Structures are given as C-alpha cells and as structure tokens.
Amino acid sequence: MKIREIMTRDVQTVRPDDSIRRAAQLMDQLNVGILPVCDGRDLVGVVTDRDITIRAISAGKLPDRCKVSEVMTANPRYCYEDDPVGSVTQLMAGQQIRRVPVVDRNDRLTGIVSLGDLATDAKNDRAVQDTLERISSPSEPDRA
C-alpha cells in the first residue's frame, strides 16, 4: 500500500510571513494541530500548536507580530506520495513524529499523513501499534 492511498489531501497551509495568530486561528477552525508552511506549493516547514505555545507564547512574542517563520520547524521530515506505508511508519517511529507532510516527486506538497490515517486506513494493525509505541516512548527534555 502506498501513502497516497491513505493520506489526507487538500491540506490547508500557511506562509512563512503569516502571523502565528493566523496560524492558530486556522488550526482552531480546522481542528488540527499542525499546518504545513509553504512558499507557493513548496514545503518549507511545518508549524504546530506546540511550536506556537513553546517557541512564541512562552517567550513573550506577540501573536500579531510574530511570524510563522520564527517558530516553525524548517526543513521538516517528509515522505513521497508513492512511498510504501511501511517505510513511512518506520520514519514516524524513528523520529517520534505523528504527522508527516507528503510531497510529489517534484517536491510539491500534496497532502499529509497522520498516525490517525494509518490507524484508520492501513491494514496492518500490528505495525500501527508498534509505531504508536515507539512514537510515544518518552524522550529526553530539550533544555537548549
């Protein structure tokens, strides 16, 4: 099974120069915790609700003045739409990430795949369980 068969398509995005307020409002509207950050259709990063909270709000940045580019994760892990589901579950488990942007072979964003997509649509329940266990294992705090 290929990722294109289970990924979420027509994903909303934000631009690097959008405010974190706009990103947070869009997350609220869509009921999501992550947004791909694109320059046109090129994926340049991802921003999560946690990024906004930890990298902006806790640092005292103002939501209307702080740009997405200041708090996003640049050069995020991603997969290709023709990648096998098994290789993406390994990526998610190895990097402890729950959501992965999906691009085509021209590196244009085409969707996003989440642990929920895997649990709902993938046929290998054991692989999903193993991935969830590895993603959820505690990691060391980042005190940098």
Side-chain angles (χ1 to χ4, degrees):
M1 179 180 287
K2 304 290 183 187
I3 284 299
R4 76 167 58 88
E5 298 172 51
I6 65 170
M7 71 182 194
T8 300
R9 296 177 182 278
D10 300 320
V11 177
Q12 294 291 315
T13 64
V14 290
R15 295 183 322 267
D17 62 343
D18 282 334
S19 72
I20 61 168
R21 180 181 303 279
R22 181 180 186 297
Q25 289 171 334
L26 190 55
M27 287 178 188
D28 182 36
Q29 176 187 346
L30 299 171
N31 194 29
V32 297
I34 188 172
L35 292 169
V37 181
C38 292
D39 185 5
R41 288 198 49 218
D42 294 329
L43 179 69
V44 296
V46 294
V47 65
T48 66
D49 47 5
R50 188 173 192 280
D51 292 333
I52 292 169
T53 301
I54 302 301
R55 296 178 181 168
I57 303 305
S58 70
K61 296 184 179 189
L62 299 175
D64 289 320
R65 292 191 180 167
C66 181
K67 303 296 182 198
V68 168
S69 60
E70 296 176 51
V71 300
M72 73 181 192
T73 299
N75 305 309
R77 303 281 186 206
Y78 61 88
C79 66
Y80 291 102
E81 58 189 1
D82 59 353
D83 282 345
V85 169
S87 69
V88 178
T89 59
Q90 289 176 355
L91 168 69
M92 294 169 85
Q95 298 296 314
Q96 291 189 307
I97 50 179
R98 297 172 186 268
R99 299 167 227 111
V100 178
V102 182
V103 298
D104 63 18
R105 289 294 171 175
N106 294 315
D107 292 330
R108 305 289 184 164
L109 182 72
T110 59
I112 195 162
V113 65
S114 70
L115 191 56
D117 293 327
L118 293 170
T120 302
D121 295 321
K123 305 300 181 213
N124 187 342
D125 291 337
R126 184 67 194 152
V128 172
Q129 181 180 349
D130 290 345
T131 301
L132 178 59
E133 286 175 11
R134 291 179 63 196
I135 289 171
S136 300
S137 66
S139 59
E140 292 297 315
D142 179 9
R143 301 289 185 213

